Amino acid sequence: MDSIWTMTADIPKREALKEDMTVDVAVIGGGIAGLLIAFYLKNKGVQSVVLEAARIGSGQTKNTTAKITLQHGLVYHRLIEEIGEENAKLYAQANRQAIAEYRSLVEENRIECEFRECQSYLYSLEDTDLLQKEEEAAKRLGICAELTTKAELPFEVIKALKFYDQAVFHPLLFLGRIAEDLTIYEDTKVLTVEKEEEENRIITNKGIIRAKKVVFASHYPFINVPGYYFLRMHQERSYVVVLKNTKQMDHIYYGIDKEGLSFRKSGDYLLLGGGGHRTGENTGGGSYQKLSLAAEKWFPESREVTRFSAQDCMPIDGIPYIGQFASTAENWFVATGFQKWGMTSAMVSAMMISDLIVKGQSPYEEVFGPQRFRLQASAVNLAEEGIQSAKGLSKGIFSTTPKCTHMGCALEWNPDEMSWDCPCHGSRFAFDGKIIDNPAQEDLKNE
Ligand code: FES
């Protein structure tokens, strides 16, 4: 089904690549991360081209709930423990700067994209000390936070943690405006990238581009080696139903309990989210049904307008990978692993990658740079990724269900979305075998 954003915005179509060309920078992926990176490069005097396999904004950007926030779940207490207070401060600072960048971009360019300042809340219906710990951690890092029992939700909360000065917007209205002066080729699918002595050859289905530098902003990097991102991330799905006729709600809410729901109002519509699971671990469906039941219970007057789902890359240490793609690929850059916080992470990517390309450094490299390896934060999850891949691969060898075209894992049927989903690294295919989500690059084969 259409997301609420595609129903309410129309971005003009761009042409496909028509001939081979040579450029300074090629950005692969025309979602919000790719376009913001190209936009920031342009503002810093560097020309780039954006290569998009389908339409700009037609991947994960159209399926976001579009919260511009540095409240990334229960993150700060964990970050202080795992990467230290100074690095946790840098993480918060990068995201705070990202919010400020959105605010000034919208104001300076008069972008009509329903940008609205608000507060962001984590809430719980259980008697937990997690929110208190998070408040203490946030305050240590200079974040304006406050514990409360008051919320606009249709039920009582035991505790909620409020962050001030966050925002929401319409992602496709914003995307359409920043795309206006960029060079973008749609329907141009990158098949592979070859490193040569001085430059890179980007082979697409429409022609070849030579570029000094390449940015991979295609959600999940589709090149396995170097980088090995398939060992460092898995993907998760989450679901949204969009309701009309609900009460007014000025702020955004994210439940931290196991079956917690998220709430975010956009004009007359309420986006009610939840039901997340690892991609490929389908428990017989019912995610949308659970949301519909919650809607009936809490908003009996409401009417469902549409429903959609998101796919998120989850890095093993819970921090996005933004920066140099691999130590052996000096002129390749990557922006991935945004978890459920794609809007702020996309802006952090634009700030960082444009700085890395123009100045050769970024103040946030220590935290987000993909070459980091932090044992405490990564070891358990790395082992878990290995087990999941091994399980998927062995099923792929012995089962008769379709096999993923990425690395051959057995696919699982997702009844909620009528798709074949891969439990190893999260590729997805439509019921007829057409690829929906990478890292796989090819449709299913009819064997
Ligand atoms: Fe890697 Fe399927 S996504 S094997």
Side-chain angles (χ1 to χ4, degrees), residues 220 230 235 393 404-409 411 422-427 429 438-440:
Y220 196 119
F230 66 92
Q235 299 198 68
L393 282 165
C404 181
T405 56
H406 178 228
M407 293 175 79
C409 287
L411 299 173
C422 181
C424 285
H425 317 112
S427 294
F429 304 84
N438 56 5

Side-chain angles (χ1 to χ4, degrees), residues 82-341:
E82 292 179 353
I83 65 174
E85 190 159 331
E86 282 316 302
N87 280 335
K89 241 181 215 156
L90 274 181
Y91 182 100
Q93 188 183 314
N95 284 286
R96 192 184 296 112
Q97 189 185 336
I99 299 171
E101 293 283 325
Y102 273 113
R103 190 181 295 116
S104 56
L105 257 183
V106 167
E107 280 172 14
E108 282 163 22
N109 297 286
R110 301 210 176 126
I111 301 178
E112 289 184 13
C113 61
E114 299 168 13
F115 182 90
R116 174 169 66 79
E117 309 259 355
C118 64
Q119 295 155 11
S120 176
Y121 291 71
L122 296 177
Y123 73 86
S124 177
L125 308 186
E126 294 169 10
D127 190 13
T128 169
D129 63 355
L130 291 172
L131 290 171
Q132 195 141 355
K133 282 186 177 163
E134 188 67 3
E135 184 208 19
E136 286 160 13
K139 285 188 167 160
R140 270 167 72 183
L141 303 176
I143 297 168
C144 196
E146 185 187 325
L147 269 184
T148 178
T149 53
K150 292 198 178 66
E152 303 159 293
L153 296 169
F155 44 76
E156 296 289 316
V157 301
I158 301 284
K159 244 179 247 167
L161 177 62
K162 170 169 36 169
F163 278 17
Y164 291 89
D165 303 327
Q166 314 298 298
V168 289
F169 71 156
H170 188 310
L172 295 188
L173 292 178
F174 177 83
L175 195 81
R177 270 298 301 283
I178 64 163
E180 279 173 5
D181 296 326
L182 300 176
T183 306
I184 297 167
Y185 296 106
E186 292 187 333
D187 296 324
T188 302
K189 180 174 177 174
V190 175
L191 305 174
T192 192
V193 181
E194 295 170 356
K195 266 192 293 166
E196 291 185 344
E197 198 85 332
E198 289 291 307
E199 58 184 13
N200 302 282
R201 266 164 48 91
I202 299 151
I203 322 287
T204 79
N205 60 343
K206 299 283 163 58
I208 294 175
I209 293 204
R210 292 176 182 277
K212 291 197 187 78
K213 298 187 194 293
V214 185
V215 181
F216 292 80
S218 54
H219 184 62
Y220 196 119
F222 55 86
I223 290 199
N224 293 334
V225 182
Y228 299 94
Y229 288 94
F230 66 92
L231 285 176
R232 304 203 260 164
M233 293 195 294
H234 70 273
Q235 299 198 68
E236 290 189 2
R237 301 204 59 66
S238 56
Y239 302 83
V240 173
V241 294
V242 180
L243 308 172
K244 216 163 169 183
N245 298 339
T246 63
K247 64 185 281 236
Q248 185 49 35
M249 218 178 265
D250 290 331
H251 306 295
I252 53 182
Y253 295 88
Y254 184 82
I256 62 162
D257 305 332
K258 193 158 178 284
E259 299 283 329
L261 299 168
S262 78
F263 300 79
R264 179 270 207 241
K265 199 91 186 191
S266 171
D268 289 342
Y269 304 110
L270 174 70
L271 280 62
L272 176 65
H277 59 84
R278 182 176 173 127
T279 305
E281 286 188 350
N282 304 317
T283 50
S287 294
Y288 283 125
Q289 199 191 355
K290 277 188 203 156
L291 289 174
S292 298
L293 288 173
E296 258 175 56
K297 181 174 178 183
W298 301 119
F299 306 102
E301 308 291 308
S302 69
R303 173 172 65 80
E304 184 178 319
V305 178
T306 189
R307 49 177 63 186
F308 59 93
S309 59
Q311 166 105 329
D312 300 306
C313 293
M314 313 300 283
I316 52 174
D317 62 359
I319 300 175
Y321 299 114
I322 304 170
Q324 192 177 326
F325 191 97
S327 57
T328 53
E330 202 186 327
N331 292 315
W332 289 13
F333 300 86
V334 68
T336 189
F338 295 171
Q339 304 165 94
K340 299 180 187 307
W341 321 108

